[in-house]
């Protein structure tokens, strides 16, 4: 379901601000369990180079995820709240679908600067999420190669 096409922008943003911390917390717990179990089953001193790489992929996924949870998500939520306040002052943000924000930002330098900062933080968060996912995908490839059919 494409919620952003069916919910007012501010309502959608508030929903996202509740979902993402829960998502990153859940993925973080799963990564921690994966790191602990893989590390336990493949002790560093006796593990092969491939197994050490796999532990590295799991640790990097965990690190990217924690960065999202504790750095980017709080920054994004705070910037979203600030933008919502400015948007309410300009009577925008309650529309469904395509935003009036871009048009208003052309004549409101404060909103334009907020949009730029929000976009940068959101982009870094997306990149961290992609890197975490990629690390887990590489580890999944490794695990799939262990299956003997």
């Amino acid at each position: 379901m494409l919620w952003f096409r069916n919910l007012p922008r501010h309502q959608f943003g508030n929903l996202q601000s509740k979902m993402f911390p829960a998502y990153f917390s859940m993925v973080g717990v799963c990564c921690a369990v994966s790191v602990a179990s893989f590390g336990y089953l493949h002790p560093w001193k006796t593990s092969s180079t491939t197994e050490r790489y796999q532990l590295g992929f799991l640790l990097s996924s965990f690190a990217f995820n924690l960065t999202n949870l504790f750095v980017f998500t709080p920054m994004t939520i705070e910037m979203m709240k600030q933008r919502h306040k400015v948007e309410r002052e300009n009577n925008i943000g309650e529309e469904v679908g395509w935003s009036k924000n871009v048009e208003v930002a052309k004549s409101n330098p404060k909103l334009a600067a907020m949009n730029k900062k929000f976009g940068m933080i959101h982009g870094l968060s997306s990149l961290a999420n992609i890197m975490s996912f990629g690390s887990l995908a590489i580890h999944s490839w490794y695990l799939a190669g262990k299956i003997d059919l």
Side-chain angles (χ1 to χ4, degrees):
M1 179 169 170
L2 298 172
W3 292 334
F4 68 91
R5 290 187 183 167
N6 297 297
L7 290 175
R9 283 188 58 254
H10 288 177
Q11 191 175 356
F12 175 72
N14 289 330
L15 174 66
Q16 294 288 78
S17 74
K18 303 293 186 254
M19 286 176 51
F20 276 107
Y23 167 76
F24 292 128
S25 294
M26 180 76 80
V27 173
V29 167
C30 291
C31 283
V33 169
S34 295
V35 166
S37 61
F38 194 85
Y40 177 77
L41 293 171
H42 306 281
W44 189 260
K45 289 183 179 183
T46 60
S47 63
S48 68
T49 302
T50 302
E51 291 165 346
R52 289 179 181 185
Y53 272 113
Q54 293 311 307
L55 188 59
F57 287 126
L58 289 171
L59 285 168
S60 68
S61 179
F62 186 52
F64 283 122
N65 195 70
L66 289 182
T67 302
N68 245 335
L69 179 61
F70 294 117
V71 178
F72 296 134
T73 297
M75 290 171 67
T76 303
I77 290 170
E78 182 57 34
M79 182 54 56
M80 178 203 69
K81 288 177 181 179
Q82 292 175 14
R83 270 190 1 168
H84 284 188
K85 183 179 178 188
V86 170
E87 288 175 341
R88 277 192 289 280
E89 291 169 1
N90 288 281
N91 295 318
I92 59 172
E94 293 305 320
E95 64 275 1
V96 174
W98 206 235
S99 171
K100 296 178 185 175
N101 176 300
V102 175
E103 286 300 315
V104 173
K106 290 178 183 175
S107 60
N108 186 327
K110 183 178 179 181
L111 185 58
M114 292 175 124
N115 286 348
K116 185 175 181 178
K117 186 174 180 181
F118 180 85
M120 180 191 70
I121 296 167
H122 190 269
L124 289 171
S125 176
S126 296
L127 179 62
N129 198 36
I130 289 168
M131 295 300 289
S132 177
F133 178 82
S135 294
L136 290 175
I138 291 169
H139 183 64
S140 296
W141 186 281
Y142 163 80
L143 292 176
K146 296 287 183 183
I147 297 173
D148 187 24
L149 298 175

